[in-house]
Amino acid sequence: MQIIAHRGASGEFPENTLLAIAQAILQGADAIEVDVYAVEGELIVIHDPKLERTTNGTGTIYQHSLAYLQQLDAGEGEPIPTLWQVLELVQDRCWLNIELKGKDTAQPLLALLAKAEQELGLSLSDVLVSSFNHHLLLQLKQALPELRLGALTASLQLNYAQYVHDLGMYSVHCDLNFIDQQLVHDAHQLGLKVFVYTVDGLDDISAMQQLGVDGIFTNYPARSRVWAFEGG
Ligand code: G3P
Ligand code: MG
């Protein structure tokens, strides 16, 4: 079962910062998950469109210039990183799940991935792009068919695995509160991977192993890795 550091090692360090990502890599995470918006065509890494919870800024990211956003403190003196900085940091160390949150992210992402393939030697097989916005995923699928895509859901729709398969996705990303054996079974039958968020507790980690999911998003990659290992 893969351990995916949710917003980096965000249980211990400021979420979605280079610090939290670097620590997750040190802790042996198999992958890093980050949340992404586009501002002035630049992809930036932050979870909320509102700035108050995770930075010393106010208002929304769309009210401000990129220059303003980049001088904010996202915790422990860390700035809001760009996705490019994250790609540079993660490169060759583990794989990366880019969760697209914001509008107008598809074209900048395609441009950034092309640049990273050229300049960083990025392999697309080390990237998985996910979103709750399935229109966006389809747009990406059409533009770059080999890109791995994951359909996020915060509920449990009927025939969800079949639906995700028909969209041509690589994986199903499901809420811990809704995952069940049927979905795991259906997804695997259709050749889809199953990733579950957010799984931090020992009991939940064991339950996910019992279900046979392919990976968990966790805020505590170090201890989750130990617990998953001990659990078999
Ligand atoms: O990608 C898994 C998970 O991060 C989705 O929900 O709100 O934590 O971004 P959220
Ligand atoms: Mg996320």
Side-chain angles (χ1 to χ4, degrees), residues 16-84:
N16 281 319
T17 62
L18 295 179
L19 173 63
I21 294 165
Q23 290 296 324
I25 292 169
L26 285 175
Q27 293 180 6
D30 297 297
I32 308 290
E33 185 257 8
V34 290
D35 306 290
V36 167
Y37 292 82
V39 172
E40 295 174 20
E42 179 80 58
L43 295 171
I44 59 167
V45 176
I46 186 168
H47 183 273
D48 305 355
K50 288 187 179 172
L51 293 164
E52 283 83 352
R53 184 179 64 83
T54 60
T55 77
N56 59 346
T58 55
T60 78
I61 55 171
Y62 299 117
Q63 285 174 292
H64 298 288
S65 66
L66 182 63
Y68 168 85
L69 296 172
Q70 290 189 304
Q71 55 78 45
L72 292 176
D73 184 345
E76 296 187 33
E78 289 284 307
I80 297 171
T82 61
L83 184 58
W84 179 259

Side-chain angles (χ1 to χ4, degrees), residues 123-196:
S123 165
L124 280 187
S125 59
D126 286 334
V127 173
L128 171 58
V129 178
S130 61
S131 188
F132 288 104
N133 182 341
H134 300 176
H135 295 281
L136 198 50
L137 295 176
L138 273 190
Q139 228 179 305
L140 290 167
K141 181 83 195 161
Q142 276 155 16
L144 189 58
E146 64 267 40
L147 185 60
R148 289 177 172 179
L149 297 168
L152 269 157
T153 182
S155 62
L156 184 53
Q157 295 98 313
L158 295 173
N159 300 319
Y160 190 64
Q162 188 65 51
Y163 159 82
V164 173
H165 176 260
D166 292 347
L167 289 181
M169 300 288 111
Y170 171 79
S171 49
V172 169
H173 299 214
C174 187
D175 190 310
L176 173 63
N177 295 312
F178 296 107
I179 188 74
D180 63 12
Q181 192 70 73
Q182 187 71 48
L183 178 57
V184 176
H185 173 266
D186 293 351
H188 284 167
Q189 284 286 107
L190 292 163
L192 296 163
K193 301 283 185 197
V194 179
F195 300 115
V196 180

Side-chain angles (χ1 to χ4, degrees), residues 6-7 33 35 47 97 99 101 130 132 152 197 217:
H6 186 238
R7 313 177 193 176
E33 185 257 8
D35 306 290
H47 183 273
N97 176 206
E99 186 194 338
K101 288 283 190 204
S130 61
F132 288 104
L152 269 157
Y197 65 93
F217 297 96

